[in-house]
Amino acid sequence: MNVMDSLVTIFVFMFLLGTVSSKLSPKYYQKSCPDVLSTVHDAVSKALSDEPRMGASLLRLHFHDCFGCDASILLDDTTNFTGEKTALPNADSVRGFDVIDTIKSQLEIICNNTVSCADIVAIAARDSVSILGGPTWTVQLGRRDSTTASLSDANSNLPSPFSDLSTLISSFSNKGFTAGELVALSGSHTIGQARCTTFRSRIYNDSNIDTAFANSLKNSCPSVGGDDNLSPLDETPVDFDNTYFKSLLQNKGLLHTDQELFHNGSTDALVTSYSTNSKKFFSDFADAMIKMANLSPLTGTSGEIRSNCRVINGS
């Protein structure tokens, strides 16, 4: 082998080594922080015991952090950038930051500067679903944290609760998701609550809504005022089950986007299937969550491991 061949071989080996080392793995912290999973699980269990609604909030935090899953949503505003917390889909809505802070503080004690905030968010979402009776899945680990955030990206990447089905399908397709995966991920609305401002137009203007259901919501969500008043997304807001899909069959979807999934469209059949087959929903939801969490993460030497999830290192 001549010198040039040797150099090429070395470069190829180094490239492959870098590629492999930057991949996510469920065993990423096996040696560097072996107690990471139990630490996160215990903290999430306590948070949900104190407030069951927090499970939906932690799951939603993960959704809104992706597509990218880089903990950018956790960053506070700075003089250099406006963060994502004040984006229209997030302002006065996304929560759970204190729980992530608590977990991060605990992990910094047992394995300093090792576990990323992005991985904490991903694990906390999985544990929230499982604790509330839903499926579990293997979380791939090794994400790194972003060193910036983008208000404009958050506003443009997250679909509006007023979107129609074609817009939803297009939005998810742009990120590599099928219409079926859109339906499965929308099943996350089987837990949690929504603010009046997100469903007011539906209960007062939509025609594909059960009349009694709409009327029952108008006391807590008047036509004017009460924007922050909450209503459950389905009848079992702290149980991860398939009640959400059963509600859609009765035209009782709380959000306009919820009912769009069952409104004489291409996703009707899958909604019907999930309404009678929770096992299939759980399996498809878990698979879609794994796919979502693996969308363009920062790995290897990209980004950083934040010491405080709210600020970049050195701030």
Side-chain angles (χ1 to χ4, degrees):
M1 182 181 291
N2 60 37
V3 174
M4 184 59 69
D5 288 339
S6 298
L7 288 173
V8 170
T9 300
I10 292 172
F11 288 147
V12 170
F13 174 76
M14 292 176 65
F15 171 78
L16 291 175
L17 181 64
T19 301
V20 171
S21 66
S22 67
K23 286 184 178 179
L24 301 181
S25 166
K27 298 181 179 180
Y28 188 83
Y29 298 111
Q30 189 172 48
K31 294 183 179 179
S32 60
C33 193
D35 293 331
V36 59
L37 295 180
S38 60
T39 300
V40 176
H41 186 274
D42 290 349
V44 171
S45 294
K46 183 181 184 307
L48 269 60
S49 177
D50 294 340
E51 183 192 7
R53 179 192 168 206
M54 185 55 69
S57 298
L58 292 172
L59 176 58
R60 189 161 183 256
L61 187 63
H62 184 39
F63 267 101
H64 284 222
D65 185 42
C66 298
F67 308 95
C69 302
D70 57 5
S72 57
I73 195 172
L74 305 180
L75 289 172
D76 292 335
D77 294 350
T78 72
T79 55
N80 296 322
F81 63 80
T82 302
E84 300 169 15
K85 293 179 178 179
T86 56
L88 291 176
N90 299 333
D92 301 318
S93 176
V94 172
R95 56 200 294 270
F97 302 108
D98 290 344
V99 176
I100 301 301
D101 289 342
T102 296
I103 297 171
K104 181 61 175 176
S105 296
Q106 294 174 352
L107 290 172
E108 285 299 296
I109 293 173
I110 63 175
C111 41
N112 181 52
N113 195 35
T114 301
V115 181
S116 69
C117 301
D119 278 344
I120 293 172
V121 171
I123 300 168
R126 186 273 310 272
D127 289 351
S128 294
V129 170
S130 177
I131 291 168
L132 293 178
T136 188
W137 57 91
T138 300
V139 178
Q140 300 292 321
L141 302 169
R143 297 169 191 79
R144 289 170 65 85
D145 301 322
S146 68
T147 55
T148 189
S150 172
L151 177 68
S152 61
D153 284 351
N155 278 323
S156 60
N157 284 336
L158 295 169
S160 161
F162 313 111
S163 300
D164 60 20
L165 180 60
S166 62
T167 300
L168 290 171
I169 291 175
S170 176
S171 176
F172 275 71
S173 176
N174 289 339
K175 301 298 181 180
F177 289 102
T178 66
E181 289 166 333
L182 157 66
V183 177
L185 290 173
S186 296
S188 63
H189 286 180
T190 188
I191 53 175
Q193 302 183 67
R195 298 164 63 226
C196 167
T197 188
T198 64
F199 62 84
R200 176 183 286 117
S201 63
R202 168 153 170 74
I203 64 175
Y204 286 96
N205 300 319
D206 283 5
S207 59
N208 61 334
I209 186 169
D210 179 84
T211 301
F213 174 66
N215 289 336
S216 71
L217 294 166
K218 290 178 180 178
N219 285 336
S220 61
C221 186
S223 58
V224 178
D227 285 2
D228 293 331
N229 293 346
L230 299 173
S231 289
L233 285 159
D234 74 6
E235 295 177 354
T236 57
V238 294
D239 295 322
F240 196 100
D241 53 26
N242 65 343
T243 300
Y244 167 79
F245 296 105
K246 295 177 182 179
S247 298
L248 299 186
L249 266 60
Q250 301 171 35
N251 284 334
K252 293 182 179 180
L254 183 63
L255 304 181
H256 177 81
T257 46
D258 291 332
Q259 199 59 56
E260 280 292 292
L261 301 179
F262 188 79
H263 185 43
N264 299 317
S266 61
T267 55
D268 282 14
L270 187 55
V271 170
T272 302
S273 175
Y274 286 160
S275 73
T276 59
N277 191 340
S278 59
K279 184 177 180 180
K280 176 175 173 55
F281 163 50
F282 280 18
S283 176
D284 289 353
F285 180 83
D287 288 344
M289 287 296 294
I290 293 171
K291 180 175 178 177
M292 184 187 76
N294 293 347
L295 287 177
S296 306
L298 298 175
T299 59
T301 58
S302 299
E304 64 180 14
I305 304 296
R306 288 186 217 138
S307 298
N308 178 338
C309 291
R310 294 175 182 260
V311 298
I312 61 175
N313 296 337
S315 298

